[in-house]
Amino acid sequence: VVCSNAFVEAMVMDSVSGTLVTLTNWNNQPRPKLNVSVKMTDAPRSIRSVQQQQELQGWKYHDGTVSFTTDLEWGDYILLPKQ
């Protein structure tokens, strides 16, 4: 996982149902418009933020990498279910 801010820590967990990305903001300031890239073999069905309780729009999958933008306060779980 690659994030556009060095003070955001990301952890990935894969399962048969999809991928979970845990984001932790160690900057003590909200990070609006954080860019995140995750290597995946296949495109996810959708991308959902648990903190925001909504699907993220505008994500892209290209050459084994899914990229999306999210507003991060202190932490979030991002769900990427398989097709």
Side-chain angles (χ1 to χ4, degrees), residues 6-61:
F7 292 103
V8 174
E9 180 181 11
M11 185 174 81
V12 175
M13 294 176 64
D14 289 315
S15 77
V16 294
S17 301
T19 300
L20 170 71
V21 177
T22 303
L23 298 174
T24 306
N25 181 4
W26 295 106
N27 197 36
N28 294 327
Q29 295 286 335
R31 302 280 41 154
K33 300 193 186 309
L34 178 74
N35 296 315
V36 181
S37 297
V38 183
K39 291 203 180 273
M40 299 182 70
T41 27
D42 297 306
R45 183 175 66 235
S46 61
I47 299 179
R48 181 170 180 80
S49 163
V50 172
Q51 174 70 26
Q52 297 173 44
Q53 289 294 298
Q54 67 181 0
E55 287 193 6
L56 302 179
Q57 304 299 316
W59 58 272
K60 295 179 181 149
Y61 180 81

